[in-house]
C-alpha cells in the first residue's frame, strides 16, 4: 500500500526515531526513490526503499558502525548521490555517531577541500559504496579512518539490534560551510536542530498539512539538499525522489519530468538552474510536461533574482506552471538551513530599490523601469524563528527599510563550529542571536537579502554589492557566461580597485572573441549603472572561476587567485 494520505506526524525528537515510527506504522509506503540515468536520453531507472526496508538497512549499517567506534566519533560520508547516502547518514545518527556529509573524491575541483575537511573533522570511519570504494580507499590511505562499504553490510547485521534514541541535545552531524567567504568550518547541528528545521520548512511550504513529494537533485552534502530531501521527508513520513546533480546538468528536462510525474512536488534549485531550464529545454521536451500540480519551487540563491522566476514561468506557462509556486527563500548552514520563505500560493513580492540609496544603507523604492534600479525578490517571513536587522558595528536594531546585518534566533540555530571556540563566540554570540554575515532589510513585512557583508565593495565611502555589478557585467556582452563571474575589490594606491573576472561561454575560444570590444562594453555598462570605474576586466576560459561545493562562485578565492597572479595578463585586461 502507498496511500497518498500520510498518518499524523509523531512528536519524536530525532530522525532515527521518526524512521522507526514510519517503519512500524507504514512499513510498505515508499520512503526514498533514486532515479538513475545510465545513458543519454534515459528516462530513468527507479530504485526504491520502503520504510521497512530503509529501517532494516539503517539498523544493519548502524550496528556495523558501532562495532568498534566510540559514541560521538565522526563518520564521513563519501558516497555518491543515492539511497545508500541516505542510509549511511541515518545509520550514523542511529549509532550515536556524528555524521559528516561529504562527497566522493572525484567531484571535480574539490579534492583539496575534501582533504582539508577530513583533516579538520578527523573521522574514525569513512562510509562509501562499492563503485567508489577503491577511489575512497586510495584517497584516505594516509588517514587512520576505516572504510566501510555500505552496500556490502548484510541485512543480518541488524539482527536483534534495537538502537537507543539519541539525546536531542547531542550533535547529529557537522555541516561544513561552502567556503564562499572563508575557510570551510563544520557547523555542529544537533538532533533537535535538524528536526526543528525540518518542521519549520514543512510548515513554511505548507507540506505539514497537505501530502507532498520532495523531488531533488541538489547534492545531499549540501545543507538544503540534506534537509529538504532527507530530514523533512523523514519527519513527515513522505516520499523523497532523488536524482544525481550530474544527470540534471546533462539533461535538465529530467528534473522537470520528475516534477511532472509526482503529485504536489516540492523542490529547490538555485538561480542558474531555473535559467538553464528556460534556455535549454526544447519545445519537443515540453510536450509531455504537466507542471500545474507543483506545490513549491524554492530558490535560495543569494540574492534571488525576480527575473529568473519570470523567465522560468514564461518558458513553462503552457505546461500549467503557476507563478505562485515560486518561493524565494533565505537560509544558511549555521541555522541548519531554512530561515525565511515566501509561502506557496501567494503572489511573489518584487522590489525595485534605488541603487544610490541602497549604497548608503537605505531601501527606498524606485521605478522598476529605471535602469539604475536594483530589482530584488522578497524572501517571505521567518519560518518558526526570529529575524532582526542590526547595525553590524554597533549591534543596534534597525528600523524597517534600513539595511544591516541579518541576525537569527531559533531552535534550528546550530550549537557552534567544531573545534573553533573563538569563531563560535563571534558568530553565535552569548545572546543566542546568530550573526549571519548577510546584509538585508525588511520591507512590507518581507525579508530582502541584499548581499554578503564580507563581499561588499566600498569605493569612496559608497557601498556596492558585487552580485549587482556581476549582473550588469554579464548583460553587457553575450560572450560572457551567465553566473560564472566574480566582482571584488582589491587595495590600490588611491583606494579600493574594482576587478571583474569572467568566464566566456562554452563552445567559443578567446581567439574568436573581440576581447577589447567585450572589455569596453563591460566597463561602459558598469560605469553607467554603478558609477564605478573597473580597474581590471579579466576574461578566462569556462571552468576557471572557482566555485564552492554548493555551486556558488567563490569571490574570496577568485580574489586570492587574482592577487597571486593566477590569471595571466594575456587572457584579457
Amino acid at each position: 500500500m502507498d496511500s497518498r494520505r500520510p498518518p499524523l506526524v509523531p512528536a519524536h525528537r530525532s530522525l532515527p526515531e521518526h524512521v522507526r515510527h514510519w517503519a512500524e506504522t507504514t512499513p510498505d509506503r515508499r520512503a526514498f526513490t533514486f532515479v538513475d540515468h545510465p545513458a543519454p536520453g534515459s528516462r530513468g531507472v527507479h530504485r526504491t526503499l520502503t520504510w521497512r526496508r530503509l529501517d532494516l538497512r539503517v539498523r544493519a549499517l548502524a550496528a556495523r558502525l558501532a562495532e568498534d567506534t566510540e559514541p560521538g566519533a565522526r563518520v564521513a560520508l563519501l558516497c555518491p548521490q543515492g539511497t545508500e547516502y541516505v542510509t549511511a547518514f541515518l545509520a550514523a545518527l542511529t549509532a550515536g555517531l556524528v555524521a559528516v556529509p561529504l562527497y566522493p573524491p572525484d567531484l571535480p575541483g574539490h579534492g583539496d577541500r575534501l582533504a582539508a575537511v577530513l583533516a579538520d573533522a578527523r573521522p574514525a570511519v569513512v562510509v562509501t559504496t562499492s563503485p567508489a570504494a577503491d577511489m575512497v580507499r586510495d584517497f584516505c590511505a594516509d588517514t587512520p579512518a576505516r572504510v566501510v562499504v555500505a552496500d556490502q553490510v548484510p541485512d543480518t547485521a541488524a539482527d536483534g539490534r534495537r538502537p537507543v534514541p539519541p539525546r536531542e541535545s547531542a550533535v547529529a552531524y557537522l555541516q561544513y560551510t561552502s567556503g564562499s567567504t572563508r575557510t570551510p568550518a563544520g557547523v555542529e547541528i544537533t538532533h533537535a536542530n535538524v528536526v526543528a528545521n525540518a518542521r519549520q520548512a514543512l510548515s513554511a511550504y505548507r507540506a505539514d498539512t497537505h501530502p507532498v513529494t520532495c523531488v531533488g537533485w541538489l547534492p545531499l552534502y549540501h545543507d538544503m539538499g540534506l534537509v529538504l530531501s532527507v530530514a523533512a521527508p523523514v519527519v513527515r513520513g513522505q516520499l523523497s525522489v532523488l536524482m544525481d546533480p550530474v544527470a540534471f546538468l546533462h539533461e535538465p528536462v529530467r528534473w522537470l519530468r520528475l516534477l511532472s510525474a509526482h503529485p504536489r512536488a516540492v523542490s529547490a534549485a538555485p538561480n542558474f538552474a531555473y535559467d538553464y531550464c528556460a534556455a535549454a529545454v526544447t519545445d519537443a521536451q515540453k510536450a509531455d510536461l504537466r507542471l500545474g500540480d507543483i506545490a513549491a519551487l524554492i530558490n535560495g540563491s543569494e540574492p534571488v533574482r525576480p527575473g529568473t522566476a519570470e523567465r522560468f514561468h514564461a518558458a513553462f506557462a503552457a505546461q500549467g506552471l503557476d507563478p505562485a509556486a515560486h518561493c524565494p527563500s533565505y537560509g544558511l548552514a549555521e541555522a541548519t538551513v531554512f530561515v525565511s520563505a515566501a509561502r506557496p500560493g501567494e503572489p511573489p513580492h518584487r522590489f525595485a530599490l534605488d541603487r544610490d540609496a541602497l549604497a548608503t544603507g537605505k531601501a527606498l523604492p524606485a521605478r522598476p523601469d529605471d535602469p539604475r534600479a536594483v530589482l530584488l525578490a522578497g524572501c517571505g517571513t521567518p519560518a518558526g524563528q526570529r529575524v532582526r536587522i542590526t547595525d553590524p558595528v554597533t549591534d543596534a536594531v534597525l528600523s524597517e527599510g534600513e539595511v544591516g546585518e541579518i541576525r537569527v534566533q531559533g531552535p534550528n540555530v546550530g550549537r557552534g563550529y567544531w573545534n573553533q571556540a573563538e569563531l563560535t563566540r563571534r558568530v553565535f554570540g552569548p545572546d543566542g542571536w546568530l550573526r549571519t554575515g548577510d546584509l538585508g532589510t525588511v520591507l512590507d513585512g518581507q525579508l530582502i537579502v541584499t548581499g554578503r557583508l564580507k563581499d561588499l565593495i566600498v569605493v569612496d565611502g559608497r557601498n556596492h554589492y558585487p552580485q549587482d555589478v556581476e549582473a550588469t557585467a554579464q548583460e553587457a556582452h553575450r560572450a560572457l557566461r551567465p553566473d560564472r563571474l566574480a566582482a571584488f575589490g582589491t587595495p590600490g594606491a588611491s583606494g579600493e580597485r574594482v576587478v571583474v573576472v569572467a568566464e566566456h561561454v562554452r563552445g567559443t575560444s578567446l581567439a574568436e572573441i573581440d576581447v577589447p570590444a567585450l572589455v569596453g562594453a563591460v566597463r561602459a555598462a558598469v560605469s553607467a549603472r554603478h558609477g564605478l570605474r573597473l580597474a581590471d576586466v579579466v576574461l578566462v576560459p569556462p571552468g576557471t572561476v572557482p566555485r564552492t561545493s554548493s555551486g556558488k562562485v567563490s569571490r574570496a578565492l577568485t580574489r586570492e587567485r587574482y592577487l597571486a597572479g593566477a590569471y595571466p595578463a594575456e587572457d584579457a585586461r
Side-chain angles (χ1 to χ4, degrees):
M1 290 287 292
D2 189 17
S3 167
R4 289 296 306 161
R5 183 176 297 278
L8 294 175
V9 178
H12 295 311
R13 298 179 178 181
S14 71
L15 297 183
E17 290 173 280
H18 281 90
V19 170
R20 190 64 185 158
H21 170 83
W22 301 124
E24 291 175 345
T25 58
T26 59
D28 297 322
R29 285 173 60 88
R30 292 177 296 166
F32 289 90
T33 293
F34 179 68
V35 183
D36 192 17
H37 296 85
S42 169
R43 287 279 181 150
V45 178
H46 291 58
R47 298 182 175 89
T48 296
L49 291 177
T50 63
W51 288 106
R52 176 192 284 121
R53 180 68 183 158
L54 174 67
D55 175 62
L56 178 62
R57 291 303 303 154
V58 165
R59 287 187 291 114
L61 185 53
R64 172 65 185 85
L65 294 176
E67 281 181 0
D68 50 3
T69 306
E70 293 295 324
R74 274 78 59 209
V75 177
L77 312 180
L78 273 63
C79 304
Q81 190 97 335
T83 55
E84 290 294 355
Y85 199 116
V86 177
T87 300
F89 174 73
L90 294 170
L93 272 57
T94 300
L97 307 173
V98 178
V100 185
L102 292 168
Y103 40 83
D106 61 347
L107 183 66
H110 293 286
D112 289 345
R113 178 182 183 274
L114 179 60
V117 170
L118 290 176
D120 184 69
R122 302 191 305 276
V125 178
V126 170
V127 180
T128 189
T129 60
S130 293
D134 290 343
M135 170 176 52
V136 169
R137 287 192 180 99
D138 289 344
F139 193 85
C140 299
D142 295 331
T143 74
R146 297 178 299 282
V147 176
V148 172
V149 183
D151 50 303
Q152 293 180 5
V153 175
D155 292 350
T156 53
D159 289 352
R161 177 174 174 80
R162 298 286 296 188
V164 177
R167 290 182 297 108
E168 61 177 329
S169 60
V171 177
Y173 60 100
L174 300 181
Q175 181 66 63
Y176 273 82
T177 60
S178 59
S180 58
T181 57
R182 61 170 179 261
T183 302
V187 183
E188 296 181 336
I189 303 297
T190 68
H191 291 275
N193 291 153
V194 66
V195 170
N197 203 226
R199 291 181 182 277
Q200 289 165 339
L202 289 165
S203 176
Y205 302 114
R206 294 177 177 160
D208 55 341
T209 55
H210 300 87
V212 299
T213 302
C214 294
V215 175
W217 57 264
L218 292 179
L220 297 182
Y221 57 78
H222 183 241
D223 47 12
M224 185 177 287
L226 187 64
V227 173
L228 189 64
S229 290
V230 180
V234 165
V235 168
R236 186 73 176 104
Q238 296 200 327
L239 174 64
S240 178
V241 179
L242 305 167
M243 63 179 285
D244 195 289
V246 175
F248 165 76
L249 293 174
H250 285 171
E251 291 187 48
V253 72
R254 290 167 168 167
W255 175 46
L256 302 182
R257 286 174 180 150
L258 292 180
L259 292 174
S260 180
H262 293 88
R264 291 195 52 78
V266 174
S267 193
N271 275 320
F272 92 85
Y274 294 106
D275 281 327
Y276 183 32
C277 287
V281 176
T282 66
D283 289 340
Q285 291 173 329
K286 293 178 184 178
D288 61 350
L289 296 177
R290 301 293 181 269
L291 304 178
D293 195 34
I294 293 176
L297 289 174
I298 303 163
N299 185 340
S301 300
E302 46 182 57
V304 180
R305 299 177 191 149
T308 295
E310 291 166 1
R311 286 187 292 272
F312 187 78
H313 178 255
F316 299 102
Q319 284 65 53
L321 182 65
D322 182 354
H326 291 283
C327 298
S329 304
Y330 166 71
L332 68 164
E334 286 81 354
T336 305
V337 63
F338 290 101
V339 171
S340 73
R343 292 348 188 218
E346 297 180 359
H349 294 264
R350 296 175 173 85
F351 296 88
L353 303 179
D354 183 274
R355 178 174 283 108
D356 293 336
L358 204 59
T360 65
K362 303 289 185 181
L364 299 180
R367 295 196 323 273
D369 59 349
D370 186 336
R372 293 180 59 79
V374 178
L375 302 178
L376 295 171
C379 292
T381 54
Q385 51 205 290
R386 299 173 66 197
V387 169
R388 66 188 183 191
I389 309 298
T390 65
D391 185 302
V393 177
T394 67
D395 294 343
V397 178
L398 301 179
S399 303
E400 181 165 312
E402 294 185 288
V403 177
E405 184 177 12
I406 301 169
R407 297 199 184 184
V408 178
Q409 185 185 73
N412 53 302
V413 172
R415 204 168 74 172
Y417 295 109
W418 162 253
N419 273 353
Q420 297 201 46
E422 177 56 26
L423 183 60
T424 295
R425 186 191 66 77
R426 291 202 315 267
V427 174
F428 288 83
D431 59 356
W433 283 94
L434 170 69
R435 302 189 69 138
T436 67
D438 291 316
L439 291 168
T441 188
V442 175
L443 283 177
D444 298 336
Q446 294 278 311
L447 177 66
I448 303 171
V449 182
T450 59
R452 289 284 302 172
L453 183 60
K454 291 186 178 180
D455 285 342
L456 202 61
I457 299 170
V458 183
V459 178
D460 297 330
R462 290 174 56 82
N463 297 333
H464 298 271
Y465 295 96
Q467 69 276 5
D468 197 15
V469 176
E470 291 157 6
T472 298
Q474 73 183 26
E475 293 169 1
H477 200 285
R478 62 183 182 181
L480 292 175
R481 193 177 178 202
D483 298 318
R484 293 295 185 272
L485 66 171
F488 50 87
T490 64
S494 57
E496 190 93 323
R497 301 169 68 250
V498 183
V499 176
V500 170
V501 176
E503 296 181 8
H504 62 73
V505 294
R506 293 188 181 278
T508 302
S509 67
L510 275 173
E512 300 173 89
I513 300 173
D514 186 341
V515 176
L518 181 150
V519 171
V522 171
R523 288 185 188 277
V526 171
S527 176
R529 183 167 289 182
H530 304 277
L532 278 177
R533 178 186 177 277
L534 293 181
D536 214 349
V537 178
V538 185
L539 190 64
V540 296
T544 305
V545 174
R547 288 184 290 160
T548 68
S549 59
S550 59
K552 300 173 185 175
V553 166
S554 176
R555 299 184 187 101
L557 186 52
T558 306
R559 180 180 184 275
E560 180 182 315
R561 291 181 180 178
Y562 171 83
L563 293 174
Y567 304 115
E570 59 267 22
D571 284 349
R573 293 291 167 96

